[in-house]
Amino acid sequence: MNTVLFVIAAYLIGSVSFAVVMSRLFGLSDPRTYGSGNPGATNVLRSGNKKAAIATLIGDAAKGWFAVWLALRLADRFGIDDTGIALVALAVFIGHLWPVFFRFVGGKGVATALGVLLGLNVWLGLATLATWLIVAYAFRYSSLAALIAAVFAPFYYGLLFGADEILFAVAAMSALLLFRHSKNISNLLAGKESRIGSKSGAAAKASAKKK
């Protein structure tokens, strides 16, 4: 019963969309209405507001980290085993993808997945983050960096800890992340994918109207 409660709580934590929350706080257009339509830090950056994008990135990563950290911290007290931790990790990630508070229209999960990985193990998260940074710096495509980092994340976990229930959760997150980036994959192959920092025309017009 405790595991079920932790999983539900993790899903609700994941359902808080910081892209939408921060956009409202900074007086920006809803990130679901411009650019890729994805409520995430990269799309918020297309509004031209770097502070809002950074706040979104930190918030989305923090909720993934917090849900896993809390479950690990309270695991012994409430009898949460590795299977429960794996389910909590998946639940907070799924909450971001399909948030109950925003009509199940969520982001693609890159920052939240990173937060989950950092919560599971700092070195696992840092290795995955380093992979994202290297690819993003080399090619200037956030989506490509996310795809490659997602592929490597389960490999890093297996290398560090071997095969267990949590490895399957990490692999499932990676699979879902790849699925959520299916349109980006098509755009990358067609040469139509937006590069990091490119400002959306719709976002620019909306910003101009508010000035």
Side-chain angles (χ1 to χ4, degrees), residues 21-77:
V21 172
M22 292 303 166
S23 291
R24 290 175 181 173
L25 288 176
F26 281 88
L28 305 174
S29 298
D30 191 317
R32 294 167 294 183
T33 63
Y34 62 81
S36 65
N38 173 58
T42 300
N43 204 38
V44 173
L45 183 60
R46 294 190 177 104
S47 71
N49 193 313
K50 293 182 180 179
K51 290 182 180 179
I54 292 171
T56 297
L57 179 66
I58 293 172
D60 282 344
K63 69 183 181 184
W65 171 84
F66 178 72
V68 173
W69 173 83
L70 188 64
L72 286 170
R73 187 174 179 82
L74 300 177
D76 291 339
R77 185 185 304 179

Side-chain angles (χ1 to χ4, degrees), residues 127-187:
T128 307
L129 175 60
T131 302
W132 188 95
L133 289 172
I134 291 169
V135 177
Y137 179 79
F139 298 98
R140 306 297 297 171
Y141 288 113
S142 175
S143 57
L144 179 62
L147 292 167
I148 294 177
V151 170
F152 275 89
F155 169 76
Y156 292 146
Y157 185 91
L159 192 65
L160 288 169
F161 306 106
D164 58 16
E165 296 91 338
I166 297 175
L167 172 60
F168 288 106
V170 173
M173 282 197 305
S174 295
L176 285 170
L177 197 147
L178 292 174
F179 168 72
R180 294 288 282 188
H181 281 77
S182 56
K183 184 176 180 181
N184 300 91
I185 294 172
S186 298
N187 287 341

